[in-house]
Amino acid sequence: MASRPIRIAPSILSADFARLGAEVEALDQAGADYFHIDIMDGHFVPNISFGPMVMQSIRKLTAKPFDVHLMIAPADPYIAAFAKAGADSITVHAEAGPHLQRSLQTIRAEGKRTGVAINPATPLAAVENILDDIDLLLVMSINPGFGGQAFIPHAMDKIRQASLLIGNRPIELEVDGGVSAENARELADAGINVFVAGTAILGGNDAATYAGRIKAIRDAAMLRTA
Ligand code: DX5
Ligand code: ZN
């Protein structure tokens, strides 16, 4: 299997929202590859974050791709708004509605890259029939809703299986939840190429530390054997 390029995607859910613009600029300068944008509705997940207007307000601060993680149900009525607010990829949850393939068609119709996320309790079989419709598969290693949770060990096995399932298809494999420099190498060996990290990069909100923390995750991932 060809190895996909390592991408570090800080989650701005862990940003100091009172200084959101400065946080985005600091992460850009610190070497973030993607910005991971967590959208929560207080319905699909037990927390509320922010919406497309806030996302649009930070869009002008960086040229890096916005990797939008929709933790909302239903998702379809809001896809166009996030596309217009500057998303580069839009990820919907397999559990968020009965017509996943329609959601993916809607994202592609907006000209954006498509992603599907699966919760820890959701088997990989949920995505077997839509592999031709996605550019990114997000394996959740926590139950979504909050940053700072511990990595659920079973996710490592699921990631290995997901990597086999993807094979040589041009699909990025992303992990979200409890990612750190400590587990990045094992995750990379399991097949992950996009590393979402909130607490491990932004915890404490000291911009002077961001470059070193991004580099630590990247360096660990680069030790992958495959
Ligand atoms: C949680 C979000 C995550 C969160 C990860 O539902 O999807 O992106 O920010 O935070 P950490 O890296 O602290 O687990
Ligand atoms: Zn996320």
Side-chain angles (χ1 to χ4, degrees), residues 11 36-38 69 71 138 140 176 196:
S11 165
H36 185 78
I37 313 279
D38 287 303
H69 178 193
M71 289 162 274
L138 170 52
M140 293 303 301
D176 185 2
V196 175

Side-chain angles (χ1 to χ4, degrees), residues 9-14 36-40 45 69 71 93 138 140-151 175-180 196-201:
S11 165
I12 61 164
L13 187 67
S14 292
H36 185 78
I37 313 279
D38 287 303
I39 308 298
M40 303 178 176
V45 288
H69 178 193
M71 289 162 274
H93 266 262
L138 170 52
M140 293 303 301
S141 42
I142 53 166
N143 289 293
F146 303 93
Q149 302 181 76
F151 185 93
V175 62
D176 185 2
V179 173
S180 69
V196 175
T199 307
I201 295 172

Side-chain angles (χ1 to χ4, degrees), residues 179-195:
V179 173
S180 69
E182 282 65 51
N183 59 17
R185 180 179 180 172
E186 190 177 359
L187 287 164
D189 278 335
I192 291 297
N193 79 292
V194 183
F195 297 77

